[in-house]
């Protein structure tokens, strides 16, 4: 339908309808995992908006590009588009955009994307502030689908910060809203996260069953590719905690294959790290291959400047080296990345890193 609409626009010449047609086409390709095509269309949108010198269109061009580049793992570029979009956004001038572009408000989307990017780039507290701002804006706008966006992406952030109670609060509110409004996409997401909460509470088998149910709902809806790798990482970790190493490794292998196919890179480093952890829990432990996975995770994270993924991978490698008696190397590796951080020291990962660093220092 979008291709037919674009052909009609080309027949008509420079028509105002071309921009929303290209925007919808770009997002459709993104959702299908054809991220490079989506990026090319995003660049066309930006060029068109710049040529027309129309701020509202510039906002939506940045909207497409911050979403697309986030999935490609080009985190700093995606954040730049978020900042440009944030400068252009006006809730009064652009309140109709939720009905024209993707069914959700661009200001809310900008806020929660900025929050995820800030966490990935190593700024957990700034991420929390941006997430809270996005949620406040969504409540003010009272647009249901934008509200669902804000709630479930806030849950994403709390989950990565290690704040289970906050995850539950956001998911419960989001599931109530999604049920009332009939939003299958968000019902699937909420089901996965409720399963993850059960796993964290020790109800691991029941939690995994619920996670699989939620993922099946999302697959039936052809959900976004970045979410696929996110849920794969959650499920693989759940399998690791239940000792189901083969199942976990299969999930990781499938997710990495899909990431290569679509170039959805956001979770690539984390998936390599989880693979390494699973290899260490086999009946015959493969420390050499696990170490290679951790190093690969660190390399990918450094290319993306994803400091939070680098910290997790450094912790995994440092624990392995600690077990092998390489305490000085472990302390130097972990100390360097931990010392980079300037905020978020009350979050789960940074507290765990500090605890491990203290252990390594005492042992030396």
């Amino acid at each position: 339908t979008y291709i037919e609409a674009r052909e009609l626009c080309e027949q008509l010449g420079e028509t105002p309808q071309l921009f929303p047609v290209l925007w919808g086409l770009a997002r459709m390709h993104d959702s299908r995992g054809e991220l490079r095509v989506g990026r090319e269309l995003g660049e066309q949108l930006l060029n068109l908006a710049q040529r027309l010198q129309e701020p509202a269109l510039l906002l939506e061009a940045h909207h497409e590009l911050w979403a697309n580049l986030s999935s490609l793992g080009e985190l700093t570029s995606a954040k730049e588009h978020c900042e440009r979009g944030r400068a252009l956004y006006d809730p009064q001038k652009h309140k109709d955009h939720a009905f024209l572009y993707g069914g959700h408000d661009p200001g809310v989307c900008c806020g929660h994307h900025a929050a995820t990017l800030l966490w990935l780039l190593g700024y957990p507290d700034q991420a929390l502030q941006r997430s809270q701002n996005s949620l406040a804006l969504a409540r003010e706008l009272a647009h249901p689908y934008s509200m669902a966006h804000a709630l479930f992406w806030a849950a994403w952030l709390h989950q990565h910060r290690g704040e289970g109670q906050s995850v539950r609060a956001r998911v419960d509110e989001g599931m109530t809203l999604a049920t009332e409004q009939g939003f299958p996409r968000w019902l699937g997401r909420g089901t996965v996260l409720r399963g993850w909460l059960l796993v964290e509470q020790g109800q691991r088998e029941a939690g995994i069953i619920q996670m699989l149910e939620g993922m099946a709902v999302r697959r039936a809806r052809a959900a976004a590719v970045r979410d696929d790798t996110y849920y794969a990482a959650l499920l693989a970790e759940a399998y690791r905690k239940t000792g189901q190493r083969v199942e976990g490794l299969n999930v990781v292998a499938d997710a990495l294959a899909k990431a290569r196919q679509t170039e959805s890179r956001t979770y690539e480093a984390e998936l390599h790290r989880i693979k390494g952890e699973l290899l260490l829990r086999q009946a015959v432990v493969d420390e050499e291959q696990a170490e290679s996975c951790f190093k690969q995770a660190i390399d990918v994270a450094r290319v993306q400047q994803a400091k939070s993924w680098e910290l997790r991978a450094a912790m995994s490698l440092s624990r392995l080296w600690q077990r092998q008696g390489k305490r000085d190397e472990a302390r130097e590796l972990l100390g360097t990345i931990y010392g980079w951080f300037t905020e978020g020291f009350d979050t789960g990962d940074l507290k765990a890193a500090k605890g491990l660093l203290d252990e390594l220092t005492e042992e030396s």
Side-chain angles (χ1 to χ4, degrees):
T1 300
Y2 274 123
I3 289 171
E4 186 176 348
R6 182 174 62 180
E7 290 172 352
L8 289 170
C9 288
E10 290 170 352
Q11 292 172 23
L12 292 168
E14 192 74 17
T15 171
Q17 283 74 31
L18 178 60
F19 187 91
V21 167
L22 288 178
W23 195 95
L25 192 61
R27 294 304 297 142
M28 186 276 298
H29 281 292
D30 288 346
S31 294
R32 286 161 57 99
E34 297 160 351
L35 295 171
R36 290 293 169 184
V37 179
R39 180 177 186 167
E40 290 172 7
L41 288 164
E43 295 292 346
Q44 289 180 38
L45 287 167
L46 187 59
N47 291 334
L48 179 58
Q50 289 170 339
R51 190 168 72 249
L52 296 173
Q53 296 185 332
E54 174 53 60
L57 300 186
L58 276 171
L59 168 62
E60 290 301 336
H62 291 304
H63 185 180
E64 157 56 21
L65 285 165
W66 74 57
N68 175 278
L69 293 170
S70 293
S71 292
L72 283 167
E74 298 185 28
L75 308 181
T76 55
S77 294
K79 181 174 175 291
E80 183 179 342
H81 284 286
C82 279
E83 296 308 322
R84 291 183 180 181
R86 184 187 187 194
L88 290 164
Y89 175 75
D90 183 306
Q92 293 304 313
K93 290 180 180 178
H94 304 128
K95 59 185 178 183
D96 63 332
H97 281 221
F99 305 98
L100 298 172
Y101 298 100
H104 61 277
D105 182 78
V108 173
C109 182
C110 180
H112 72 63
H113 265 89
T116 62
L117 291 163
L118 283 164
W119 185 86
L120 290 165
L121 291 166
Y123 301 98
D125 293 344
Q126 292 180 55
L128 182 61
Q129 185 61 58
R130 292 295 284 274
S131 177
Q132 290 171 341
N133 292 346
S134 176
L135 192 53
L137 174 61
R139 295 191 192 283
E140 181 183 335
L141 295 172
H143 181 258
Y145 206 73
S146 299
M147 188 68 194
H149 265 266
L151 284 167
F152 283 103
W153 282 106
W156 181 99
L157 179 62
H158 288 302
Q159 189 263 319
H160 285 75
R161 283 172 55 93
E163 298 162 340
Q165 288 185 342
S166 295
V167 175
R168 178 172 297 281
R170 298 295 172 264
V171 169
D172 286 350
E173 185 179 358
M175 289 289 277
T176 299
L177 176 65
T179 301
E180 290 172 352
Q181 298 290 330
F183 295 153
R185 172 188 177 187
W186 300 112
L187 286 171
R189 188 182 187 111
T191 302
V192 175
L193 288 173
R194 280 182 169 173
W196 175 82
L197 286 164
L198 287 175
V199 172
E200 292 300 297
Q201 294 163 3
Q203 301 178 55
R204 292 173 177 171
E205 296 296 337
I208 287 173
I209 290 171
Q210 196 159 353
M211 291 175 76
L212 290 170
E213 289 174 356
M215 292 171 75
V217 170
R218 292 185 59 76
R219 279 195 297 272
R221 302 292 300 179
V225 292
R226 180 168 62 150
D227 289 355
D228 287 348
T229 49
Y230 168 40
Y231 295 129
L234 289 182
L235 181 61
E237 276 280 63
Y239 279 135
R240 181 183 66 81
K241 290 177 179 179
T242 58
Q244 296 174 269
R245 296 174 293 277
V246 174
E247 292 83 349
L249 286 168
N250 287 338
V251 169
V252 170
D254 289 344
L256 285 171
K258 184 164 187 178
R260 284 191 294 271
Q261 177 187 353
T262 64
E263 297 189 64
S264 178
R265 308 289 303 278
T266 313
Y267 272 82
E268 184 179 0
E270 179 68 345
L271 288 166
H272 284 299
R273 184 193 70 82
I274 294 169
K275 180 180 178 180
E277 292 287 358
L278 287 161
L279 289 169
L280 290 177
R281 284 157 180 78
Q282 293 185 121
V284 179
V285 175
D286 191 340
E287 292 190 353
E288 184 177 350
Q289 190 178 356
E291 181 172 346
S292 177
C293 288
F294 297 147
K295 288 179 176 178
Q296 191 168 1
I298 291 170
D299 289 343
V300 171
R302 285 175 177 170
V303 169
Q304 296 180 355
Q305 300 180 50
K307 294 295 184 180
S308 290
W309 290 153
E310 185 181 346
L311 179 69
R312 287 190 181 183
M315 279 195 284
S316 291
L317 183 54
S318 294
R319 290 191 191 100
L320 175 59
W321 282 351
Q322 180 186 34
R323 193 165 76 187
Q324 295 173 339
K326 302 176 183 178
R327 296 180 183 85
D328 291 341
E329 295 95 323
R331 188 176 66 253
E332 181 179 355
L333 173 71
L334 185 56
T336 299
I337 180 62
Y338 180 82
W340 179 92
F341 282 82
T342 58
E343 61 180 63
F345 296 107
D346 61 339
T347 60
D349 286 343
L350 283 160
K351 287 195 289 188
K354 179 63 164 60
L356 181 54
L357 267 177
D358 289 344
E359 282 183 31
L360 292 167
T361 301
E362 290 170 3
E363 292 171 0
S364 296

